[in-house]
Amino acid sequence: EDVRTFPDGSMIAAGGTIVVAITSTGFESTFGFKPDFEVLESDPAIPNLIDDPNWGDPATFLQLGNSGDEVILRGPDSRVVDILVYGNGSFPGTPACELVEWPNHSLERFPFWRDRDNCPLDFRDWAFPNPGQLP
């Protein structure tokens, strides 16, 4: 399990979004705006996820598996707040979404306000990624 931590005091507002990118500069050149956090230092104005040498190579940790993986968001008390499982990924009690079409598709929570802890019911394959935006 690869673990990264948001800087102290970081919060996601109820109903809000955050964008985490490998590099702020790369993300901004693709999407035209800065992410909320970055993994590798490229822009001193954007906070980095906390890096620890015991966690492995920070350049590769966010490369989710094409055949499947899990993204687990935990609160300060380590309790699972939200989870996304797709393809051959697994997490107890959470059905996985099907893999998305490739390339340039993403999984989108739809509708964004519904969370039933069931990936096939909560997410859809979306051909027009729009990070950080809600309808």
Short mmCIF file of all heavy atoms in Angstrom, two decimals, residues 12-45:
data_model
loop_
_atom_site.label_atom_id
_atom_site.label_comp_id
_atom_site.label_asym_id
_atom_site.label_seq_id
_atom_site.Cartn_x
_atom_site.Cartn_y
_atom_site.Cartn_z
N ILE A 12 -11.16 19.23 2.55
CA ILE A 12 -12.03 19.26 1.38
C ILE A 12 -13.39 19.69 1.90
O ILE A 12 -13.98 19.03 2.75
CB ILE A 12 -12.15 17.87 0.72
CG1 ILE A 12 -10.77 17.35 0.31
CG2 ILE A 12 -13.08 17.95 -0.50
CD1 ILE A 12 -10.79 15.91 -0.17
N ALA A 13 -13.88 20.79 1.40
CA ALA A 13 -15.19 21.29 1.85
C ALA A 13 -16.27 20.29 1.46
O ALA A 13 -16.16 19.60 0.44
CB ALA A 13 -15.46 22.64 1.20
N ALA A 14 -17.29 20.20 2.28
CA ALA A 14 -18.42 19.33 1.96
C ALA A 14 -18.94 19.70 0.58
O ALA A 14 -19.18 20.87 0.30
CB ALA A 14 -19.52 19.48 3.00
N GLY A 15 -19.05 18.71 -0.29
CA GLY A 15 -19.50 18.95 -1.66
C GLY A 15 -18.46 19.57 -2.55
O GLY A 15 -18.74 19.91 -3.69
N GLY A 16 -17.22 19.72 -2.05
CA GLY A 16 -16.17 20.36 -2.83
C GLY A 16 -15.29 19.37 -3.56
O GLY A 16 -15.51 18.16 -3.52
N THR A 17 -14.30 19.90 -4.23
CA THR A 17 -13.35 19.08 -4.96
C THR A 17 -11.94 19.55 -4.65
O THR A 17 -11.73 20.68 -4.22
CB THR A 17 -13.54 19.19 -6.49
OG1 THR A 17 -13.22 20.52 -6.90
CG2 THR A 17 -14.95 18.85 -6.90
N ILE A 18 -10.98 18.66 -4.86
CA ILE A 18 -9.57 19.04 -4.87
C ILE A 18 -8.95 18.34 -6.08
O ILE A 18 -9.45 17.32 -6.54
CB ILE A 18 -8.81 18.65 -3.59
CG1 ILE A 18 -8.84 17.14 -3.37
CG2 ILE A 18 -9.33 19.39 -2.39
CD1 ILE A 18 -7.79 16.67 -2.40
N VAL A 19 -7.87 18.92 -6.55
CA VAL A 19 -7.13 18.33 -7.66
C VAL A 19 -5.71 18.09 -7.20
O VAL A 19 -5.04 19.01 -6.70
CB VAL A 19 -7.14 19.26 -8.89
CG1 VAL A 19 -6.27 18.68 -10.01
CG2 VAL A 19 -8.56 19.48 -9.39
N VAL A 20 -5.25 16.84 -7.34
CA VAL A 20 -3.87 16.47 -7.04
C VAL A 20 -3.22 16.07 -8.36
O VAL A 20 -3.75 15.24 -9.08
CB VAL A 20 -3.80 15.29 -6.05
CG1 VAL A 20 -2.36 14.88 -5.80
CG2 VAL A 20 -4.50 15.64 -4.73
N ALA A 21 -2.08 16.69 -8.66
CA ALA A 21 -1.36 16.40 -9.90
C ALA A 21 0.05 15.94 -9.58
O ALA A 21 0.59 16.27 -8.52
CB ALA A 21 -1.32 17.65 -10.78
N ILE A 22 0.65 15.21 -10.49
CA ILE A 22 2.06 14.84 -10.31
C ILE A 22 2.88 16.13 -10.23
O ILE A 22 3.64 16.32 -9.31
CB ILE A 22 2.57 13.93 -11.45
CG1 ILE A 22 1.84 12.58 -11.42
CG2 ILE A 22 4.08 13.74 -11.35
CD1 ILE A 22 2.17 11.72 -10.22
N THR A 23 2.73 17.02 -11.22
CA THR A 23 3.39 18.33 -11.18
C THR A 23 2.36 19.40 -11.51
O THR A 23 1.52 19.23 -12.39
CB THR A 23 4.56 18.45 -12.17
OG1 THR A 23 4.07 18.35 -13.50
CG2 THR A 23 5.64 17.42 -11.92
N SER A 24 2.45 20.51 -10.82
CA SER A 24 1.56 21.63 -11.08
C SER A 24 1.79 22.18 -12.48
O SER A 24 0.83 22.47 -13.20
CB SER A 24 1.79 22.73 -10.04
OG SER A 24 1.02 23.87 -10.34
N THR A 25 3.05 22.31 -12.88
CA THR A 25 3.34 22.89 -14.19
C THR A 25 2.81 22.03 -15.32
O THR A 25 2.25 22.55 -16.29
CB THR A 25 4.85 23.15 -14.36
OG1 THR A 25 5.56 21.92 -14.11
CG2 THR A 25 5.33 24.22 -13.40
N GLY A 26 2.95 20.72 -15.22
CA GLY A 26 2.43 19.83 -16.26
C GLY A 26 0.92 19.86 -16.32
O GLY A 26 0.32 19.89 -17.40
N PHE A 27 0.28 19.87 -15.15
CA PHE A 27 -1.18 19.91 -15.10
C PHE A 27 -1.68 21.22 -15.70
O PHE A 27 -2.60 21.24 -16.51
CB PHE A 27 -1.66 19.76 -13.65
CG PHE A 27 -3.15 19.79 -13.51
CD1 PHE A 27 -3.89 18.63 -13.62
CD2 PHE A 27 -3.82 20.99 -13.29
CE1 PHE A 27 -5.26 18.65 -13.51
CE2 PHE A 27 -5.19 21.02 -13.17
CZ PHE A 27 -5.92 19.84 -13.28
N GLU A 28 -1.06 22.33 -15.30
CA GLU A 28 -1.50 23.64 -15.79
C GLU A 28 -1.33 23.76 -17.30
O GLU A 28 -2.19 24.33 -17.98
CB GLU A 28 -0.73 24.75 -15.08
CG GLU A 28 -1.24 26.14 -15.44
CD GLU A 28 -0.55 27.24 -14.66
OE1 GLU A 28 0.52 27.00 -14.05
OE2 GLU A 28 -1.08 28.36 -14.66
N SER A 29 -0.27 23.18 -17.85
CA SER A 29 -0.09 23.26 -19.30
C SER A 29 -1.15 22.46 -20.05
O SER A 29 -1.51 22.80 -21.18
CB SER A 29 1.31 22.80 -19.71
OG SER A 29 1.46 21.41 -19.55
N THR A 30 -1.70 21.43 -19.42
CA THR A 30 -2.74 20.62 -20.06
C THR A 30 -4.13 21.21 -19.86
O THR A 30 -4.93 21.27 -20.79
CB THR A 30 -2.71 19.18 -19.49
OG1 THR A 30 -1.43 18.61 -19.76
CG2 THR A 30 -3.79 18.32 -20.12
N PHE A 31 -4.44 21.64 -18.63
CA PHE A 31 -5.81 22.04 -18.30
C PHE A 31 -6.02 23.55 -18.14
O PHE A 31 -7.15 24.01 -18.00
CB PHE A 31 -6.28 21.32 -17.04
CG PHE A 31 -6.43 19.84 -17.24
CD1 PHE A 31 -5.47 18.96 -16.78
CD2 PHE A 31 -7.53 19.32 -17.91
CE1 PHE A 31 -5.59 17.60 -16.98
CE2 PHE A 31 -7.67 17.96 -18.12
CZ PHE A 31 -6.70 17.10 -17.65
N GLY A 32 -4.94 24.32 -18.10
CA GLY A 32 -5.08 25.77 -18.06
C GLY A 32 -5.28 26.38 -16.69
O GLY A 32 -5.54 27.57 -16.57
N PHE A 33 -5.18 25.57 -15.65
CA PHE A 33 -5.25 26.11 -14.29
C PHE A 33 -4.40 25.24 -13.37
O PHE A 33 -4.02 24.13 -13.72
CB PHE A 33 -6.70 26.21 -13.79
CG PHE A 33 -7.40 24.89 -13.61
CD1 PHE A 33 -7.48 24.29 -12.36
CD2 PHE A 33 -8.01 24.25 -14.69
CE1 PHE A 33 -8.13 23.07 -12.19
CE2 PHE A 33 -8.68 23.05 -14.53
CZ PHE A 33 -8.74 22.45 -13.27
N LYS A 34 -4.09 25.77 -12.19
CA LYS A 34 -3.23 25.06 -11.25
C LYS A 34 -4.04 24.07 -10.41
O LYS A 34 -5.19 24.32 -10.09
CB LYS A 34 -2.54 26.06 -10.31
CG LYS A 34 -1.58 26.99 -11.03
CD LYS A 34 -0.95 27.96 -10.05
CE LYS A 34 -0.05 28.95 -10.71
NZ LYS A 34 1.19 28.39 -11.21
N PRO A 35 -3.42 22.94 -10.05
CA PRO A 35 -4.08 22.01 -9.13
C PRO A 35 -4.02 22.55 -7.70
O PRO A 35 -3.35 23.55 -7.43
CB PRO A 35 -3.23 20.74 -9.27
CG PRO A 35 -1.86 21.27 -9.57
CD PRO A 35 -2.08 22.50 -10.42
N ASP A 36 -4.70 21.87 -6.80
CA ASP A 36 -4.66 22.25 -5.39
C ASP A 36 -3.40 21.75 -4.70
O ASP A 36 -2.89 22.39 -3.77
CB ASP A 36 -5.89 21.70 -4.66
CG ASP A 36 -7.17 22.25 -5.26
OD1 ASP A 36 -7.37 23.47 -5.19
OD2 ASP A 36 -7.96 21.45 -5.81
N PHE A 37 -2.89 20.58 -5.13
CA PHE A 37 -1.69 19.96 -4.55
C PHE A 37 -0.90 19.32 -5.67
O PHE A 37 -1.45 18.96 -6.72
CB PHE A 37 -2.07 18.87 -3.53
CG PHE A 37 -2.86 19.38 -2.37
CD1 PHE A 37 -4.24 19.34 -2.38
CD2 PHE A 37 -2.22 19.89 -1.25
CE1 PHE A 37 -4.99 19.80 -1.31
CE2 PHE A 37 -2.96 20.37 -0.17
CZ PHE A 37 -4.34 20.32 -0.21
N GLU A 38 0.40 19.15 -5.44
CA GLU A 38 1.23 18.42 -6.38
C GLU A 38 2.07 17.40 -5.62
O GLU A 38 2.27 17.52 -4.41
CB GLU A 38 2.09 19.35 -7.23
CG GLU A 38 3.15 20.11 -6.48
CD GLU A 38 3.99 21.01 -7.39
OE1 GLU A 38 3.92 20.90 -8.62
OE2 GLU A 38 4.75 21.81 -6.84
N VAL A 39 2.59 16.41 -6.36
CA VAL A 39 3.41 15.37 -5.76
C VAL A 39 4.88 15.75 -5.84
O VAL A 39 5.61 15.68 -4.86
CB VAL A 39 3.17 14.01 -6.46
CG1 VAL A 39 4.08 12.94 -5.91
CG2 VAL A 39 1.71 13.60 -6.32
N LEU A 40 5.32 16.14 -7.02
CA LEU A 40 6.70 16.54 -7.23
C LEU A 40 6.78 18.06 -7.30
O LEU A 40 5.99 18.69 -7.99
CB LEU A 40 7.23 15.94 -8.54
CG LEU A 40 7.22 14.43 -8.61
CD1 LEU A 40 7.66 13.97 -10.00
CD2 LEU A 40 8.10 13.82 -7.54
N GLU A 41 7.74 18.63 -6.62
CA GLU A 41 7.88 20.09 -6.56
C GLU A 41 8.16 20.66 -7.95
O GLU A 41 9.18 20.37 -8.56
CB GLU A 41 9.03 20.46 -5.63
CG GLU A 41 9.30 21.94 -5.51
CD GLU A 41 8.21 22.67 -4.77
OE1 GLU A 41 7.75 22.16 -3.73
OE2 GLU A 41 7.82 23.75 -5.22
N SER A 42 7.22 21.44 -8.46
CA SER A 42 7.43 22.14 -9.73
C SER A 42 6.99 23.60 -9.63
O SER A 42 7.38 24.41 -10.46
CB SER A 42 6.68 21.45 -10.88
OG SER A 42 5.28 21.65 -10.75
N ASP A 43 6.19 23.92 -8.62
CA ASP A 43 5.66 25.26 -8.46
C ASP A 43 5.61 25.56 -6.97
O ASP A 43 4.82 24.97 -6.24
CB ASP A 43 4.26 25.34 -9.07
CG ASP A 43 3.64 26.73 -8.99
OD1 ASP A 43 4.09 27.56 -8.18
OD2 ASP A 43 2.68 26.97 -9.74
N PRO A 44 6.46 26.47 -6.48
CA PRO A 44 6.50 26.73 -5.04
C PRO A 44 5.19 27.28 -4.47
O PRO A 44 4.98 27.23 -3.27
CB PRO A 44 7.64 27.74 -4.88
CG PRO A 44 7.96 28.25 -6.24
CD PRO A 44 7.43 27.27 -7.23
N ALA A 45 4.29 27.75 -5.33
CA ALA A 45 3.01 28.28 -4.85
C ALA A 45 2.00 27.16 -4.56
O ALA A 45 0.98 27.42 -3.93
CB ALA A 45 2.42 29.24 -5.89
#
